[in-house]
Amino acid sequence: MGNIHILDEASINKIAAGEVIERPASVVKELIENSIDAGANTIRIELTKSGKDSIRVTDNGCGMNRDDAALSYVKHATSKIRKIDDIETVRTMGFRGEALSSISAIARVEITTKTKNELSGTKIIIHGGTLVSILETGAADGTSVAVNDLFYNTPVRKKYLKSNTAELSRIMDIVSRIAIGHNDISFSLFNNGKELLRCPSSELPGTIIHIYGQEVARAMLPVDLESPVVRITGFISRPTLMRSSLDFQSFYVNDRSINSKAIGFALREGYGTLMPRGRFPIAVLKIDVDTHEVDVNVHPTKNQVRLSHEGDICDMVKQAVKNALSKNDLIPDIKIPLQQSLPYETPAADPLLVKEATTYFKPSARDTERRLRRSDRSGMENDGQNNEVPEVKVLGQVDSIYILAGTKNGLMIIDQHAAHERVFFELVRESKRDDSQELIVPINIELDSREKVLIKDTIPYLEEFGFRISEFGHDSFAVTAVPIVMGKLEDPQIVHDIISDILSEGKIKEETGIFERVTKSIACRSALKAGADCSVSQMENLIKQLFRTDNPYTCPHGRPTMVSFNRQELDKLFRRS
Ligand code: ADP
Ligand code: MG
């Protein structure tokens, strides 16, 4: 007997299911897509425990008769294509006939469905891929699929599920994306009986209001560019409205929500220098092309497509974005972010790194002075004089980013933002957590529905740092106090940035992780900016502050704060030895 054997059918199905169904959000996506394909104009999603216990998707689409229902959960059963060539022209979301079979293999599924022409409907129950029963039943027109106990028979997968908040956040992300892509369909989403999202069918701007809120919708610019082969429509945010993550970009090819680095890059290029480093525009871009131009069958989850003329389409996207931006009156005094032209490499490890403060408007001298003063603890107790301040003489500033200083026997170059970030990082880390100061005028921040879910879990941690945040009306939160280290807060954007830094990373895995994340974010947002002009005494002050820290040589993200060359190294550079 050899070692090779063929796996049994049940094992094959469970393995195959893993490709399509990774988590509750994948179930939600597949079921919604089936409802869309069934021509529904109202889709309701109900979860218990973020979908871990149950997911029910109910639609008013075409429904299935008894024979179709009995086949629907069988592998490779589809009504959408008949032969492989049909993929060339398929416009439906599904076509592989895998979703219901995959879901049924790893959960307890109950499908209730009825077509318009029939008087009674069908209820079919499948547990772990095995048919339990099929009965005639009374039912509304359309289909309701309930998926209970997901992964009950694949405990390993179940173990990999994240916290309820994290899973819910993914579901909200998917539902939001699909709702924007299909703004002609009404969506509602409930978790444990609570309504989280209601998005009635409307024109695209209306849907954007429902998903992202008024504030965002107001700052969006329309995009529309057409060529004989492709049409690009949608909305992009004005350069004044940026986010610190890519979560707010949705791309669609023929109504299918897709991930595409290339399109994301084209979008970015369209903004050119209008977009500061580490900030990302909000965008909804719909690309319509002839179906022959798209291969939708490159990935089991179908969230990637292959475009035959991807380069041309990306050029169009870039052009469409450019046109939209130039047609509209944008803020006049935009500064080209200086650091964009600097080719320094950034370590990839820390996701917060991309969110380092960037200069958009040149910081004022007052702002710079204030930031430096806030972090100055000389004369205070506990000023941690750990390192001897080396004898340095400030020689000047390069590009408002780097400080040049002469040392006893060489040259030192300091990155002013990284250096000040280190100072603040240690300050925040050591400050008493409840050192808080009331704001005279509370800062109002508007969050989208996904952020709203996340912030509830985050507030207790933020409060430990001295923030006080309370729900204020439907979509807004009011920040009434901030940590004392942040000083008199003149720029409310900082608070919004800190909160979105933290939310953009999604779930909170462990306490230490979140404390570190908040500390880094406060430090980064409070620190002196790259692009700020500094006087000699300010630079001297910064260097002094830096050398009082426990670890002056790297910023909290692990980047160097300074590089130095001693005399020998300088000699070598000039081949003097
Ligand atoms: P696919 O969507 O790739 O065809 P699925 O496994 O998702 O494969 O669904 C199998 C079939 O079941 C579909 O082709 C469709 O005919 C039917 N079906 C599934 N969900 C619904 C629904 N909500 N309404 C009507 N028919 C459905
Ligand atoms: Mg499907």
Side-chain angles (χ1 to χ4, degrees), residues 64-78:
M64 288 177 271
N65 63 27
R66 187 186 170 107
D67 290 349
D68 283 346
L71 257 185
S72 64
Y73 74 94
V74 176
K75 208 160 51 161
H76 311 308
T78 180

Side-chain angles (χ1 to χ4, degrees), residues 373-385 427:
R373 199 162 350 107
R374 245 168 246 158
S375 57
D376 194 350
R377 349 173 240 185
S378 56
M380 288 162 66
E381 55 173 318
N382 184 29
D383 79 350
Q385 204 126 11
L427 208 61

Side-chain angles (χ1 to χ4, degrees), residues 62 114-120 141:
C62 65
K114 180 178 128 18
T115 64
K116 284 197 182 61
N117 308 329
E118 289 173 310
L119 290 175
S120 60
D141 290 351

